[in-house]
Coordinates of all heavy atoms in Angstrom, one line a residue:
M1 N 20.4 -3.6 6.6 CA 19.4 -3.8 5.5 C 18.1 -3.0 5.9 O 17.6 -3.1 7.0 CB 19.0 -5.3 5.5 CG 18.2 -5.6 4.2 SD 17.9 -7.4 4.1 CE 19.4 -7.9 3.3
P2 N 17.6 -2.2 4.9 CA 16.4 -1.3 5.2 C 15.2 -2.2 5.5 O 15.1 -3.3 5.0 CB 16.3 -0.5 4.0 CG 17.3 -0.9 3.0 CD 18.2 -1.9 3.6
A3 N 14.3 -1.6 6.2 CA 13.1 -2.3 6.6 C 12.3 -2.8 5.4 O 11.6 -3.8 5.4 CB 12.2 -1.5 7.5
N4 N 12.3 -1.9 4.3 CA 11.5 -2.3 3.2 C 12.1 -3.3 2.3 O 11.5 -3.7 1.3 CB 11.1 -1.0 2.4 CG 12.3 -0.4 1.8 OD1 13.4 -0.6 2.1 ND2 12.1 0.5 0.8
S5 N 13.3 -3.8 2.6 CA 13.9 -4.8 1.8 C 13.1 -6.1 1.8 O 13.1 -6.8 0.8 CB 15.4 -5.0 2.2 OG 15.4 -5.6 3.5
N6 N 12.5 -6.4 2.9 CA 11.6 -7.6 3.0 C 10.5 -7.5 2.1 O 10.1 -8.4 1.5 CB 11.1 -7.8 4.4 CG 12.3 -8.2 5.4 OD1 13.2 -8.8 4.9 ND2 12.1 -7.9 6.6
L7 N 9.9 -6.3 2.0 CA 8.8 -6.1 1.0 C 9.2 -6.3 -0.4 O 8.6 -7.0 -1.1 CB 8.3 -4.6 1.2 CG 7.0 -4.3 0.5 CD1 5.9 -5.1 1.1 CD2 6.7 -2.8 0.7
R8 N 10.4 -5.9 -0.8 CA 10.9 -6.1 -2.1 C 11.3 -7.6 -2.3 O 11.0 -8.1 -3.3 CB 12.1 -5.2 -2.4 CG 11.8 -3.8 -2.6 CD 13.0 -3.0 -3.0 NE 12.7 -1.6 -3.0 CZ 13.4 -0.7 -2.3 NH1 14.4 -1.1 -1.6 NH2 13.1 0.5 -2.3
G9 N 11.9 -8.1 -1.2 CA 12.3 -9.5 -1.3 C 11.1 -10.5 -1.5 O 11.2 -11.5 -2.2
N10 N 10.0 -10.1 -1.0 CA 8.8 -11.0 -1.2 C 8.1 -10.7 -2.5 O 7.2 -11.4 -2.9 CB 7.7 -10.7 -0.1 CG 8.2 -11.2 1.3 OD1 9.0 -12.1 1.4 ND2 7.7 -10.6 2.3
G11 N 8.6 -9.7 -3.2 CA 8.1 -9.5 -4.6 C 6.7 -8.9 -4.6 O 6.1 -8.9 -5.7
V12 N 6.2 -8.3 -3.6 CA 4.8 -7.8 -3.6 C 4.7 -6.7 -4.6 O 3.8 -6.7 -5.4 CB 4.5 -7.2 -2.2 CG1 3.1 -6.5 -2.2 CG2 4.4 -8.4 -1.1
I13 N 5.6 -5.7 -4.6 CA 5.5 -4.6 -5.5 C 5.7 -5.2 -7.0 O 5.0 -4.8 -7.9 CB 6.5 -3.5 -5.2 CG1 6.2 -2.9 -3.8 CG2 6.5 -2.4 -6.3 CD1 4.8 -2.3 -3.7
R14 N 6.7 -6.1 -7.1 CA 6.9 -6.7 -8.5 C 5.6 -7.4 -8.9 O 5.3 -7.3 -10.1 CB 8.1 -7.6 -8.4 CG 9.4 -6.9 -8.5 CD 10.5 -7.9 -8.7 NE 11.6 -7.4 -7.9 CZ 12.2 -8.0 -7.0 NH1 11.8 -9.2 -6.7 NH2 13.2 -7.5 -6.3
L15 N 5.0 -8.1 -8.1 CA 3.7 -8.8 -8.4 C 2.7 -7.8 -8.9 O 2.0 -8.0 -9.9 CB 3.2 -9.7 -7.3 CG 1.9 -10.3 -7.4 CD1 1.9 -11.3 -8.5 CD2 1.4 -10.9 -6.1
L16 N 2.5 -6.8 -8.1 CA 1.5 -5.7 -8.5 C 1.9 -5.1 -9.8 O 1.0 -4.7 -10.5 CB 1.4 -4.7 -7.3 CG 0.8 -5.3 -6.1 CD1 0.9 -4.2 -4.9 CD2 -0.7 -5.7 -6.3
E17 N 3.2 -4.9 -10.0 CA 3.6 -4.3 -11.3 C 3.1 -5.2 -12.5 O 2.7 -4.7 -13.5 CB 5.1 -4.1 -11.4 CG 5.6 -3.0 -10.6 CD 7.1 -2.9 -10.5 OE1 7.8 -3.9 -10.8 OE2 7.6 -1.8 -10.2
C18 N 3.1 -6.5 -12.3 CA 2.6 -7.4 -13.4 C 1.1 -7.2 -13.6 O 0.6 -7.2 -14.7 CB 2.9 -8.8 -13.0 SG 4.7 -9.2 -13.1
V19 N 0.4 -7.0 -12.5 CA -1.1 -6.9 -12.5 C -1.4 -5.5 -13.2 O -2.3 -5.5 -14.0 CB -1.7 -7.0 -11.1 CG1 -3.1 -6.6 -11.1 CG2 -1.5 -8.4 -10.5
F20 N -0.7 -4.5 -12.8 CA -1.0 -3.1 -13.3 C -0.1 -2.7 -14.5 O 0.3 -1.6 -14.6 CB -0.8 -2.1 -12.2 CG -1.6 -2.4 -11.0 CD1 -1.1 -2.4 -9.7 CD2 -2.9 -2.8 -11.1 CE1 -1.8 -2.6 -8.6 CE2 -3.7 -3.1 -9.9 CZ -3.1 -3.0 -8.7
V21 N 0.3 -3.7 -15.3 CA 1.2 -3.4 -16.4 C 0.8 -2.3 -17.3 O 1.6 -1.6 -17.8 CB 1.5 -4.7 -17.2 CG1 0.3 -5.1 -18.0 CG2 2.7 -4.6 -18.1
N22 N -0.5 -2.1 -17.5 CA -1.0 -1.0 -18.3 C -1.0 0.3 -17.6 O -1.5 1.3 -18.2 CB -2.3 -1.3 -18.9 CG -2.3 -2.5 -19.8 OD1 -1.2 -2.7 -20.5 ND2 -3.3 -3.3 -19.9
D23 N -0.7 0.4 -16.3 CA -0.7 1.6 -15.6 C 0.6 1.9 -15.0 O 0.8 1.9 -13.8 CB -1.8 1.5 -14.5 CG -2.3 2.9 -14.1 OD1 -1.6 3.9 -14.4 OD2 -3.4 2.9 -13.6
R24 N 1.6 2.2 -15.9 CA 3.0 2.5 -15.4 C 3.1 3.7 -14.5 O 3.9 3.7 -13.6 CB 3.9 2.6 -16.6 CG 4.0 1.3 -17.4 CD 4.8 1.5 -18.6 NE 4.7 0.4 -19.6 CZ 5.5 -0.6 -19.7 NH1 6.5 -0.7 -18.9 NH2 5.3 -1.6 -20.5
E25 N 2.3 4.7 -14.8 CA 2.4 5.9 -14.0 C 2.0 5.7 -12.6 O 2.7 6.1 -11.6 CB 1.5 7.1 -14.6 CG 1.6 8.3 -13.8 CD 0.7 9.4 -14.2 OE1 0.1 9.3 -15.3 OE2 0.6 10.4 -13.5
Y26 N 0.9 4.9 -12.4 CA 0.5 4.6 -11.0 C 1.6 3.8 -10.3 O 1.9 4.1 -9.2 CB -0.8 3.8 -11.1 CG -1.3 3.4 -9.7 CD1 -2.0 4.3 -8.9 CD2 -1.1 2.1 -9.2 CE1 -2.5 3.9 -7.7 CE2 -1.6 1.7 -8.0 CZ -2.2 2.6 -7.2 OH -2.7 2.3 -6.0
M27 N 2.1 2.8 -10.9 CA 3.1 1.9 -10.3 C 4.4 2.7 -10.0 O 5.1 2.4 -9.1 CB 3.3 0.6 -11.0 CG 2.2 -0.4 -10.9 SD 1.7 -0.6 -9.1 CE 3.2 -1.3 -8.4
A28 N 4.7 3.6 -10.9 CA 6.0 4.4 -10.7 C 5.8 5.3 -9.4 O 6.7 5.4 -8.6 CB 6.2 5.3 -11.9
R29 N 4.6 5.8 -9.3 CA 4.4 6.6 -8.0 C 4.4 5.8 -6.8 O 4.9 6.1 -5.8 CB 3.1 7.4 -8.2 CG 3.2 8.4 -9.3 CD 2.0 9.3 -9.5 NE 2.0 10.3 -8.5 CZ 1.1 11.3 -8.4 NH1 0.1 11.3 -9.2 NH2 1.2 12.2 -7.5
V30 N 3.8 4.6 -6.9 CA 3.8 3.6 -5.8 C 5.2 3.2 -5.4 O 5.6 3.2 -4.3 CB 2.9 2.4 -6.1 CG1 3.1 1.3 -5.0 CG2 1.4 2.8 -6.1
R31 N 5.9 2.8 -6.4 CA 7.3 2.4 -6.2 C 8.1 3.5 -5.5 O 9.0 3.2 -4.7 CB 7.9 2.0 -7.6 CG 8.9 0.9 -7.5 CD 9.4 0.5 -8.9 NE 8.4 0.2 -9.9 CZ 8.2 1.0 -10.9 NH1 8.8 2.1 -11.2 NH2 7.2 0.6 -11.8
A32 N 7.9 4.7 -5.9 CA 8.6 5.8 -5.3 C 8.4 6.0 -3.8 O 9.2 6.5 -3.0 CB 8.3 7.1 -6.0
M33 N 7.2 5.5 -3.3 CA 6.9 5.6 -1.9 C 6.8 4.3 -1.2 O 6.3 4.2 -0.1 CB 5.6 6.5 -1.7 CG 4.4 6.0 -2.5 SD 3.0 7.1 -2.4 CE 2.6 7.3 -0.6
E34 N 7.3 3.3 -1.8 CA 7.2 1.9 -1.3 C 7.8 1.8 0.2 O 7.1 1.3 1.0 CB 8.0 1.0 -2.2 CG 8.2 -0.4 -1.7 CD 9.0 -1.2 -2.7 OE1 9.5 -0.7 -3.7 OE2 9.3 -2.4 -2.4
G35 N 8.9 2.3 0.4 CA 9.5 2.3 1.7 C 8.7 3.0 2.7 O 8.5 2.5 3.9
R36 N 8.2 4.2 2.4 CA 7.4 5.0 3.3 C 6.1 4.2 3.6 O 5.7 4.2 4.8 CB 7.0 6.3 2.6 CG 6.2 7.2 3.4 CD 6.0 8.5 2.8 NE 5.0 9.3 3.5 CZ 4.2 10.2 3.0 NH1 4.2 10.4 1.7 NH2 3.4 10.9 3.8
L37 N 5.5 3.6 2.7 CA 4.2 2.8 2.9 C 4.5 1.7 3.9 O 3.8 1.5 4.9 CB 3.7 2.3 1.6 CG 3.1 3.3 0.7 CD1 2.8 2.6 -0.7 CD2 1.9 4.0 1.2
Y38 N 5.6 1.0 3.7 CA 5.9 -0.1 4.6 C 6.2 0.4 6.0 O 5.8 -0.2 6.9 CB 7.1 -0.9 4.0 CG 7.4 -2.2 4.8 CD1 6.6 -3.3 4.7 CD2 8.4 -2.2 5.8 CE1 6.8 -4.4 5.5 CE2 8.7 -3.3 6.5 CZ 7.9 -4.4 6.4 OH 8.1 -5.5 7.1
R39 N 7.0 1.4 6.1 CA 7.3 2.0 7.4 C 6.1 2.4 8.2 O 5.9 2.2 9.4 CB 8.3 3.1 7.3 CG 9.7 2.6 7.0 CD 10.8 3.8 7.2 NE 10.5 4.9 6.3 CZ 10.9 4.9 5.0 NH1 11.5 3.9 4.5 NH2 10.6 6.0 4.3
I40 N 5.1 3.0 7.5 CA 3.9 3.4 8.1 C 3.1 2.2 8.6 O 2.6 2.2 9.7 CB 3.0 4.3 7.1 CG1 3.7 5.6 6.9 CG2 1.6 4.5 7.7 CD1 3.1 6.4 5.8
A41 N 3.0 1.2 7.7 CA 2.3 0.0 8.1 C 3.0 -0.7 9.3 O 2.3 -1.2 10.3 CB 2.2 -1.0 7.0
Q42 N 4.3 -0.7 9.3 CA 5.1 -1.3 10.4 C 4.9 -0.6 11.7 O 4.8 -1.2 12.8 CB 6.6 -1.3 10.0 CG 7.4 -2.2 10.8 CD 8.8 -2.3 10.3 OE1 9.4 -1.3 9.8 NE2 9.4 -3.5 10.3
A43 N 4.7 0.7 11.7 CA 4.5 1.5 12.9 C 3.1 1.2 13.5 O 3.0 1.3 14.7 CB 4.6 3.0 12.6
I44 N 2.2 0.8 12.7 CA 0.8 0.6 13.2 C 0.7 -0.9 13.5 O 0.1 -1.2 14.5 CB -0.2 1.0 12.1 CG1 -0.1 2.5 11.8 CG2 -1.6 0.6 12.5 CD1 -0.9 3.0 10.6
L45 N 1.2 -1.8 12.7 CA 0.9 -3.2 12.8 C 2.0 -4.1 13.5 O 1.6 -5.1 14.0 CB 0.6 -3.8 11.4 CG -0.7 -3.2 10.7 CD1 -0.7 -3.7 9.3 CD2 -1.9 -3.5 11.5
W46 N 3.2 -3.8 13.3 CA 4.3 -4.5 13.8 C 4.6 -5.8 13.1 O 5.8 -6.1 12.8 CB 4.3 -4.7 15.3 CG 4.2 -3.4 16.1 CD1 4.0 -2.2 15.6 CD2 4.3 -3.3 17.5 NE1 4.0 -1.2 16.6 CE2 4.1 -1.9 17.8 CE3 4.5 -4.2 18.5 CZ2 4.2 -1.4 19.1 CZ3 4.5 -3.7 19.8 CH2 4.4 -2.4 20.1
R47 N 3.6 -6.7 12.9 CA 3.9 -8.0 12.3 C 4.2 -7.8 10.8 O 3.4 -7.2 10.1 CB 2.7 -8.9 12.5 CG 2.6 -9.5 13.9 CD 1.5 -10.5 14.1 NE 1.2 -11.2 12.8 CZ 0.2 -12.0 12.7 NH1 -0.6 -12.3 13.7 NH2 0.0 -12.6 11.5
E48 N 5.3 -8.4 10.4 CA 5.7 -8.2 9.0 C 4.6 -8.7 8.0 O 4.4 -8.0 7.0 CB 7.0 -8.9 8.7 CG 7.5 -8.7 7.3 CD 8.9 -9.4 7.0 OE1 9.5 -9.8 8.0 OE2 9.2 -9.4 5.9
A49 N 4.0 -9.9 8.3 CA 3.1 -10.4 7.3 C 1.9 -9.4 7.2 O 1.3 -9.2 6.1 CB 2.6 -11.8 7.8
D50 N 1.4 -8.9 8.3 CA 0.3 -7.9 8.3 C 0.7 -6.6 7.5 O -0.1 -6.1 6.8 CB -0.1 -7.5 9.7 CG -0.8 -8.7 10.4 OD1 -1.3 -9.6 9.7 OD2 -0.9 -8.7 11.7
C51 N 2.0 -6.2 7.7 CA 2.5 -5.0 7.0 C 2.4 -5.2 5.5 O 2.0 -4.4 4.8 CB 3.9 -4.7 7.5 SG 4.0 -4.2 9.2
V52 N 2.9 -6.3 5.1 CA 3.0 -6.6 3.7 C 1.6 -6.7 3.1 O 1.3 -6.2 2.0 CB 3.8 -7.9 3.4 CG1 3.6 -8.4 1.9 CG2 5.2 -7.8 3.7
D53 N 0.7 -7.4 3.8 CA -0.7 -7.5 3.4 C -1.4 -6.1 3.3 O -2.1 -5.8 2.3 CB -1.5 -8.4 4.4 CG -1.2 -9.8 4.3 OD1 -0.5 -10.2 3.3 OD2 -1.6 -10.6 5.2
A54 N -1.1 -5.3 4.3 CA -1.7 -3.9 4.3 C -1.3 -3.1 3.1 O -2.1 -2.4 2.5 CB -1.4 -3.2 5.6
V55 N 0.0 -3.1 2.9 CA 0.6 -2.4 1.7 C 0.0 -2.9 0.4 O -0.4 -2.1 -0.4 CB 2.1 -2.4 1.7 CG1 2.7 -1.8 0.4 CG2 2.7 -1.7 2.9
Q56 N 0.0 -4.2 0.3 CA -0.5 -4.8 -1.0 C -2.0 -4.4 -1.2 O -2.4 -4.0 -2.3 CB -0.3 -6.3 -0.9 CG -0.8 -7.0 -2.2 CD -0.5 -8.5 -2.2 OE1 -0.1 -9.0 -1.2 NE2 -0.8 -9.1 -3.3
E57 N -2.8 -4.5 -0.1 CA -4.2 -4.2 -0.2 C -4.4 -2.7 -0.5 O -5.3 -2.3 -1.3 CB -4.9 -4.6 1.0 CG -6.4 -4.5 1.0 CD -7.1 -5.4 -0.1 OE1 -6.5 -6.5 -0.4 OE2 -8.2 -5.1 -0.6
A58 N -3.6 -1.9 0.1 CA -3.8 -0.4 -0.1 C -3.4 -0.1 -1.5 O -4.1 0.8 -2.1 CB -2.9 0.3 0.9
V59 N -2.4 -0.6 -2.0 CA -2.0 -0.3 -3.4 C -3.1 -0.8 -4.4 O -3.5 -0.1 -5.3 CB -0.6 -1.0 -3.8 CG1 -0.3 -0.9 -5.2 CG2 0.5 -0.3 -3.0
F60 N -3.6 -2.0 -4.1 CA -4.7 -2.5 -4.9 C -5.9 -1.6 -4.9 O -6.5 -1.2 -5.9 CB -5.0 -4.0 -4.5 CG -6.1 -4.5 -5.4 CD1 -5.9 -4.9 -6.7 CD2 -7.4 -4.7 -4.8 CE1 -7.0 -5.4 -7.4 CE2 -8.4 -5.3 -5.6 CZ -8.2 -5.6 -6.9
R61 N -6.4 -1.3 -3.6 CA -7.5 -0.4 -3.5 C -7.3 0.9 -4.1 O -8.3 1.5 -4.7 CB -7.9 -0.3 -2.0 CG -8.5 -1.6 -1.4 CD -8.9 -1.4 0.0 NE -9.4 -2.6 0.5 CZ -10.1 -2.7 1.6 NH1 -10.4 -1.7 2.3 NH2 -10.5 -3.9 2.0
G62 N -6.2 1.5 -3.9 CA -5.9 2.8 -4.6 C -6.0 2.7 -6.1 O -6.6 3.6 -6.7
W63 N -5.5 1.6 -6.6 CA -5.6 1.4 -8.1 C -7.1 1.3 -8.5 O -7.5 1.9 -9.5 CB -4.8 0.2 -8.5 CG -4.9 0.0 -10.0 CD1 -4.2 0.7 -11.0 CD2 -5.7 -0.9 -10.7 NE1 -4.5 0.3 -12.2 CE2 -5.4 -0.7 -12.1 CE3 -6.6 -1.8 -10.3 CZ2 -6.1 -1.5 -13.1 CZ3 -7.3 -2.6 -11.3 CH2 -7.0 -2.4 -12.7
M64 N -7.9 0.6 -7.8 CA -9.3 0.4 -8.1 C -10.0 1.7 -8.0 O -11.0 1.9 -8.7 CB -9.9 -0.6 -7.1 CG -9.4 -2.0 -7.3 SD -9.9 -2.8 -8.8 CE -11.6 -3.0 -8.6
K65 N -9.6 2.6 -7.1 CA -10.3 3.9 -6.9 C -9.6 5.1 -7.4 O -9.9 6.2 -7.1 CB -10.6 4.1 -5.4 CG -11.3 3.0 -4.7 CD -12.8 3.1 -5.1 CE -13.6 2.1 -4.3 NZ -15.0 2.2 -4.5
K66 N -8.6 4.9 -8.2 CA -7.7 6.0 -8.7 C -8.5 7.1 -9.4 O -8.1 8.2 -9.4 CB -6.6 5.5 -9.5 CG -7.0 4.9 -10.9 CD -5.7 4.4 -11.6 CE -6.1 4.0 -13.0 NZ -6.2 2.7 -13.3
D67 N -9.6 6.7 -10.1 CA -10.4 7.7 -10.8 C -11.1 8.6 -9.8 O -11.6 9.7 -10.2 CB -11.4 7.0 -11.7 CG -10.7 6.2 -12.8 OD1 -9.5 6.7 -13.2 OD2 -11.2 5.3 -13.4
A68 N -11.3 8.2 -8.6 CA -11.9 9.0 -7.6 C -11.0 10.1 -7.0 O -11.5 11.0 -6.3 CB -12.5 8.2 -6.4
L69 N -9.7 10.0 -7.3 CA -8.7 11.0 -6.8 C -9.0 12.3 -7.5 O -8.7 12.4 -8.8 CB -7.3 10.5 -7.0 CG -6.2 11.4 -6.6 CD1 -6.3 11.7 -5.1 CD2 -4.9 10.8 -6.9
K70 N -9.4 13.3 -6.8 CA -9.7 14.6 -7.5 C -8.5 15.5 -7.8 O -8.5 16.2 -8.7 CB -10.7 15.4 -6.6 CG -12.1 14.7 -6.5 CD -13.0 15.4 -5.6 CE -14.4 14.9 -5.6 NZ -14.6 13.6 -4.9
D71 N -7.5 15.4 -6.9 CA -6.3 16.2 -7.0 C -5.1 15.3 -7.1 O -4.6 14.8 -6.1 CB -6.2 17.2 -5.8 CG -5.1 18.1 -5.9 OD1 -4.3 18.1 -6.9 OD2 -4.9 18.9 -4.9
P72 N -4.6 15.1 -8.3 CA -3.4 14.2 -8.4 C -2.2 14.6 -7.6 O -1.4 13.8 -7.3 CB -3.1 14.3 -9.9 CG -4.4 14.7 -10.6 CD -5.1 15.6 -9.6
E73 N -2.1 15.9 -7.2 CA -1.0 16.3 -6.4 C -1.1 15.8 -5.0 O -0.1 15.8 -4.3 CB -0.9 17.9 -6.4 CG -0.5 18.5 -7.7 CD -0.4 20.0 -7.7 OE1 -0.4 20.6 -6.6 OE2 -0.4 20.6 -8.8
R74 N -2.2 15.3 -4.6 CA -2.4 14.8 -3.3 C -2.4 13.2 -3.3 O -2.8 12.6 -2.3 CB -3.8 15.2 -2.7 CG -4.0 16.7 -2.7 CD -3.4 17.4 -1.5 NE -3.9 16.7 -0.3 CZ -3.2 16.7 0.8 NH1 -2.0 17.2 0.9 NH2 -3.7 16.1 1.9
F75 N -1.8 12.7 -4.3 CA -1.7 11.2 -4.5 C -1.1 10.5 -3.2 O -1.6 9.6 -2.7 CB -0.9 10.8 -5.7 CG -0.7 9.4 -5.9 CD1 -1.7 8.6 -6.4 CD2 0.5 8.7 -5.5 CE1 -1.6 7.2 -6.6 CE2 0.7 7.4 -5.6 CZ -0.4 6.6 -6.2
E76 N 0.1 11.0 -2.8 CA 0.7 10.4 -1.7 C -0.1 10.4 -0.4 O -0.2 9.4 0.3 CB 2.1 11.0 -1.4 CG 3.1 10.7 -2.5 CD 4.5 11.2 -2.2 OE1 4.8 11.6 -1.0 OE2 5.3 11.3 -3.1
A77 N -0.7 11.5 -0.1 CA -1.5 11.6 1.1 C -2.8 10.7 1.0 O -3.2 10.0 2.0 CB -2.0 13.1 1.4
W78 N -3.3 10.6 -0.2 CA -4.5 9.8 -0.5 C -4.1 8.3 -0.3 O -4.9 7.6 0.4 CB -4.9 10.1 -1.9 CG -6.0 9.3 -2.5 CD1 -7.4 9.4 -2.2 CD2 -5.9 8.3 -3.4 NE1 -8.1 8.5 -2.9 CE2 -7.2 7.8 -3.7 CE3 -4.8 7.7 -4.1 CZ2 -7.5 6.8 -4.6 CZ3 -5.1 6.7 -5.0 CH2 -6.4 6.3 -5.3
L79 N -3.0 7.9 -0.8 CA -2.6 6.5 -0.7 C -2.2 6.2 0.7 O -2.6 5.1 1.2 CB -1.5 6.2 -1.7 CG -1.2 4.7 -1.8 CD1 -2.4 3.9 -2.2 CD2 0.0 4.5 -2.8
V80 N -1.6 7.1 1.4 CA -1.3 6.8 2.8 C -2.5 6.7 3.7 O -2.6 5.8 4.5 CB -0.4 8.0 3.4 CG1 -0.3 7.9 4.9 CG2 1.0 7.9 2.8
R81 N -3.6 7.5 3.4 CA -4.8 7.4 4.1 C -5.5 6.0 3.8 O -6.0 5.4 4.7 CB -5.8 8.5 3.7 CG -7.1 8.5 4.3 CD -7.3 8.3 5.8 NE -6.4 9.1 6.6 CZ -6.1 8.8 7.8 NH1 -6.6 7.8 8.5 NH2 -5.4 9.6 8.5
I82 N -5.4 5.5 2.6 CA -5.9 4.2 2.3 C -5.2 3.2 3.1 O -5.8 2.2 3.6 CB -5.9 3.9 0.8 CG1 -6.8 4.9 0.0 CG2 -6.2 2.5 0.5 CD1 -6.6 4.8 -1.5
L83 N -3.9 3.3 3.2 CA -3.1 2.4 3.9 C -3.4 2.4 5.4 O -3.6 1.3 6.0 CB -1.6 2.7 3.7 CG -0.6 1.9 4.6 CD1 -0.7 0.4 4.2 CD2 0.8 2.4 4.4
V84 N -3.5 3.5 6.0 CA -3.9 3.7 7.4 C -5.2 3.0 7.7 O -5.4 2.3 8.6 CB -3.8 5.1 7.9 CG1 -4.4 5.3 9.3 CG2 -2.4 5.6 7.9
N85 N -6.2 3.2 6.8 CA -7.5 2.6 7.0 C -7.4 1.1 6.9 O -8.1 0.4 7.6 CB -8.5 3.2 5.9 CG -8.9 4.6 6.2 OD1 -8.8 5.1 7.4 ND2 -9.4 5.3 5.2
E86 N -6.6 0.6 6.0 CA -6.4 -0.8 5.9 C -5.7 -1.4 7.1 O -6.1 -2.5 7.6 CB -5.6 -1.2 4.6 CG -5.3 -2.6 4.4 CD -6.6 -3.4 4.2 OE1 -7.6 -2.9 3.8 OE2 -6.6 -4.6 4.6
C87 N -4.8 -0.7 7.6 CA -4.1 -1.1 8.9 C -5.1 -1.2 10.0 O -5.1 -2.1 10.8 CB -3.0 -0.2 9.3 SG -1.5 -0.3 8.2
K88 N -6.0 -0.2 10.1 CA -7.0 -0.2 11.1 C -8.0 -1.4 11.0 O -8.4 -2.0 11.9 CB -7.8 1.1 11.1 CG -7.0 2.3 11.6 CD -7.9 3.5 11.5 CE -7.2 4.7 12.0 NZ -8.0 6.0 12.0
D89 N -8.3 -1.7 9.7 CA -9.2 -2.9 9.5 C -8.5 -4.2 9.9 O -9.1 -5.1 10.5 CB -9.5 -3.0 8.0 CG -10.5 -2.0 7.5 OD1 -11.1 -1.3 8.3 OD2 -10.6 -1.8 6.3
I90 N -7.2 -4.3 9.7 CA -6.4 -5.5 10.1 C -6.4 -5.6 11.6 O -6.6 -6.6 12.2 CB -5.0 -5.5 9.5 CG1 -5.1 -5.7 8.0 CG2 -4.1 -6.5 10.2 CD1 -3.8 -5.6 7.3
L91 N -6.2 -4.4 12.3 CA -6.2 -4.4 13.8 C -7.6 -4.8 14.3 O -7.6 -5.6 15.3 CB -5.8 -3.0 14.3 CG -4.4 -2.6 14.1 CD1 -4.2 -1.2 14.5 CD2 -3.4 -3.5 14.9
R92 N -8.6 -4.4 13.7 CA -10.0 -4.8 14.1 C -10.2 -6.3 14.0 O -10.7 -6.9 14.8 CB -11.0 -4.0 13.4 CG -11.3 -2.6 13.9 CD -12.6 -2.0 13.3 NE -12.4 -1.6 11.9 CZ -11.9 -0.4 11.6 NH1 -11.6 0.5 12.5 NH2 -11.8 -0.1 10.3
R93 N -9.8 -6.8 12.8 CA -9.9 -8.2 12.6 C -9.1 -9.0 13.6 O -9.6 -10.1 14.1 CB -9.5 -8.6 11.2 CG -10.5 -8.2 10.1 CD -10.2 -8.9 8.8 NE -8.9 -8.5 8.2 CZ -8.7 -7.5 7.4 NH1 -9.8 -6.8 7.0 NH2 -7.5 -7.2 6.9
C94 N -7.9 -8.6 14.0 CA -7.1 -9.3 14.9 C -7.7 -9.2 16.3 O -7.6 -10.1 17.1 CB -5.7 -8.6 15.0 SG -4.7 -9.0 13.5
A95 N -8.3 -8.1 16.6 CA -9.0 -7.9 18.0 C -10.2 -8.9 18.2 O -10.4 -9.3 19.3 CB -9.4 -6.5 18.2
R96 N -10.8 -9.2 17.1 CA -12.0 -10.1 17.2 C -11.6 -11.6 17.4 O -12.4 -12.4 17.8 CB -12.8 -10.1 15.9 CG -13.5 -8.8 15.7 CD -14.3 -8.8 14.5 NE -14.6 -7.4 14.0 CZ -14.8 -7.1 12.8 NH1 -14.7 -7.9 11.8 NH2 -15.0 -5.8 12.5
R97 N -10.3 -11.9 17.1 CA -9.9 -13.3 17.3 C -9.7 -13.7 18.7 O -9.5 -13.0 19.6 CB -8.5 -13.5 16.6 CG -8.6 -13.4 15.1 CD -7.3 -13.7 14.5 NE -7.3 -13.2 13.1 CZ -6.2 -13.0 12.5 NH1 -5.0 -13.2 13.0 NH2 -6.3 -12.5 11.2

């Protein structure tokens, strides 16, 4: 079973699709890179719950800031950078505990 099947099983992407129902293009692009996002988060965070949270938050933040994206061809790199920054934030919060 692929690593990203847990992400799909939890319905995170499906939930976000409901929230972003009016932005099908954005969600189609996110869906296309769903497995990659999860694998990147997993390489940084390891804990599944943190990975799911990081991906969900990155997708949400990306949607909130999508108008700031100057070059649509760089969408994947842009969203991955948002994800990596979110993973770093989670690691910082965990270190403070």
Side-chain angles (χ1 to χ4, degrees):
M1 189 174 280
N4 66 344
S5 66
N6 289 333
L7 190 61
R8 287 189 191 121
N10 289 334
V12 172
I13 298 301
R14 280 191 219 117
L15 172 66
L16 290 171
E17 284 174 339
C18 292
V19 173
F20 305 134
V21 71
N22 293 329
D23 204 339
R24 293 177 197 262
E25 180 184 350
Y26 179 79
M27 284 313 298
R29 294 183 82 175
V30 167
R31 217 177 303 111
M33 55 186 302
E34 173 183 357
R36 180 177 176 209
L37 292 172
Y38 185 78
R39 285 189 302 275
I40 291 168
Q42 197 172 38
I44 298 169
L45 297 172
W46 300 9
R47 285 185 26 185
E48 183 177 349
D50 289 341
C51 295
V52 171
D53 288 347
V55 171
Q56 183 177 7
E57 187 65 25
V59 170
F60 179 73
R61 287 184 185 196
W63 182 78
M64 293 292 291
K65 301 286 186 177
K66 68 180 188 252
D67 294 332
L69 179 61
K70 293 177 175 73
D71 183 2
E73 291 181 15
R74 303 281 303 150
F75 176 81
E76 288 185 20
W78 175 75
L79 191 56
V80 166
R81 175 50 48 196
I82 293 171
L83 174 63
V84 169
N85 288 339
E86 182 59 30
C87 289
K88 288 179 180 181
D89 288 346
I90 290 172
L91 288 173
R92 277 191 286 273
R93 284 193 297 267
C94 288
R96 289 185 202 147
R97 291 183 201 161

